[in-house]
Amino acid sequence: MSLLSIDTLSIALPKGADRELAVKDVSFTLDKGEILCIVGESGSGKSMSANALMGLLPEGVTPSAGSITFEGRDLLTLSEPEMLALRGKDISMIFQEPLSALNPLMRIGDQIAEVFEAHDLLTPPERRKRALELLHEVGLPDPDTTIRAYPFQLSGGQRQRVVIAMALALEPRLLIADEPTTALDVTTQAQILDLIEDLRKRHGMAVLFITHDFGVVADIADRVIVMQHGEVVEAGEADTVLLNPTHSYTRALLDAIPKLTFRDSVEQTAQPILSVRDLDMTFTSRTAGFFKKPRVVKAVQKATFDLYQGETIGIVGESGSGKSTLGRCLVRLLKPQNGVVEIGGQDISKITGDALRQHRRRIQMVFQDPYSSLNPRSRIGTILTEGLIAYGTDKTTARDKARELLSVVGLDPSAMDRFPHEFSGGQRQRVGIARALALDPEVIIADEAVSALDVSIQAQVLDLLADLKDRLNLSMIFITHDLRVAAQVCDRIIVMQRGEMVEFGPSAQVLGNPQTAYTQSLLDAIPGKAHEAALARQKEAQI
């Protein structure tokens, strides 16, 4: 008998939703020690199926048919106290966003200990000892320091490891991993995948892994389920689905995966539009103990490069390498301690007041998370026009331009009257791009603008950015941890490590013939490389 069996599960949405069912007649099994990946775009029903399994469906969303059988018990028939006893102990879940999954006001050690406390297990000293063991087991450096830290003091990869430690605390028989590597850099992602695989082998867990990344699927899955609009459209062994997909939707998802191919570099103009010289940005921690020296972090060190008209420069590297800090210095959300940032021949690194205000319209930013960067209480029309109005454009002209911008980014002008929460992630990112274009900037800085999007939506946004850059003759700084995306959209690439530029040159040179061990390590960590090689061999055999 399978450890988990889901039979013809349907989940009903509240009345008034776009469709009646979030999940329709979904069936699959999962055996002990097996990794099953569920793949699909946002809204396909992946996470909803997992939340039903955990008894964590949103209010108003209910299972309307089918069963979820775990070790012979139908979870849909259990009471809330019975589900509380099951969660964490027998079935655990790694949530997609560790920062929101962790309590920001509790230390890491207390949050891990709380797992044991909830099930009335171990004494307080034993809980702390076990928390230290778990932090060591998931590969966190210096567990004695980490256990006393708060979530905001850790990197994204470290927070994800803490969430994994909490999920594994009671050695569950089933682990649900809901997009656990989304938005992580390639090396951290590879480490998390290796960790899950290692723990699966050591603990004999079954793993239900939810993702939209087929590269991840190729690296870890035994079997694959592909979902679309709440239904399973394809299922089978991982190699079979990846190499010989039968459904058009699966083929479309595979075709949308960025390839490590290089674009032709643009011809450099006589004068750069943006020049950066010896830029330094240092942060000093004020949270150290009274008798301890403040912690100094050199986030950016001696950054030097030129950006030419119509060119895209990519900035790649791990979390904490200084990519986003460099981008925020260029747009003057941060004021660098040293160095020069010239745009159009004017050094804007140290200007303030009205001079800085006039500069801001020349260089704009597209942020990683369009939901948190858009005011949830403002309509899209207000979001797009407030910058124009602040610079003296009258309201009628500003609204006319906002409608035009929505059309430019592929949205209906009627979106002016809607709020950010009424759009999908990809649509919100288009609004973010429209806002960045509103002031007719000369330079766009895109900070991880597609990292959390489905592969098909990602492809659409990348195509949009490329089209806008060509039509408007924009120059772009493209910050990303995805080397495939960088190869696809960037003319030249900067590789950053611990705040330093360790490599800089044409994309084909940097990624095709890396000169540093660090760049090579980033390339080696790209998920799904074995699948790409197998696919290439398959195509050669067909020829």
Side-chain angles (χ1 to χ4, degrees), residues 39-42 44 46 179 182 189 211-217 226-227 242 248-259 425-426 430 449-464 482 484-485 488 527 532:
V39 189
E41 297 173 290
S42 297
S44 62
K46 311 185 303 293
E179 301 273 14
T182 296
Q189 178 176 254
T211 183
H212 61 252
D213 189 335
F214 268 106
V216 171
V217 172
V226 182
M227 293 187 68
L242 291 170
S248 58
Y249 178 68
T250 309
R251 290 194 294 271
L253 289 180
L254 288 166
D255 290 341
I257 299 172
K259 308 297 189 294
R430 288 171 183 265
V450 297
S451 65
L453 301 179
D454 301 323
V455 286
S456 55
I457 305 300
Q458 182 184 83
Q460 293 171 16
V461 173
L462 290 175
D463 288 343
L464 171 64
D482 192 326
R484 289 189 177 111
V485 170
Q488 183 175 310
E532 278 193 7

Side-chain angles (χ1 to χ4, degrees), residues 333-396:
L333 291 176
L334 293 171
K335 185 178 180 181
Q337 282 90 6
N338 297 299
V340 173
V341 179
E342 285 189 357
I343 181 167
Q346 180 187 7
D347 181 8
I348 54 90
S349 62
K350 297 176 180 63
I351 59 175
T352 57
D354 190 60
L356 176 59
R357 182 173 175 271
Q358 292 305 316
H359 147 74
R360 290 196 185 282
R361 68 184 307 160
R362 304 177 69 180
I363 181 166
Q364 291 285 300
M365 197 165 195
V366 180
F367 296 91
Q368 176 175 356
D369 183 357
Y371 192 75
S372 63
S373 65
L374 300 176
N375 188 335
R377 297 186 177 184
S378 293
R379 297 183 189 274
I380 299 304
T382 301
I383 290 171
L384 295 182
T385 58
E386 58 188 356
L388 289 163
I389 293 171
Y391 280 93
T393 305
D394 66 86
K395 290 185 178 181
T396 301

Side-chain angles (χ1 to χ4, degrees), residues 192-204:
I192 295 295
L193 294 178
D194 288 343
L195 173 63
I196 291 175
E197 173 66 19
D198 178 57
L199 295 172
R200 185 268 295 241
K201 290 178 180 177
R202 281 197 279 142
H203 294 274

Side-chain angles (χ1 to χ4, degrees), residues 47 101 325 373 460 470 473 543:
S47 295
T325 299
S373 65
Q460 293 171 16
D470 292 340
N473 199 26
I543 294 173

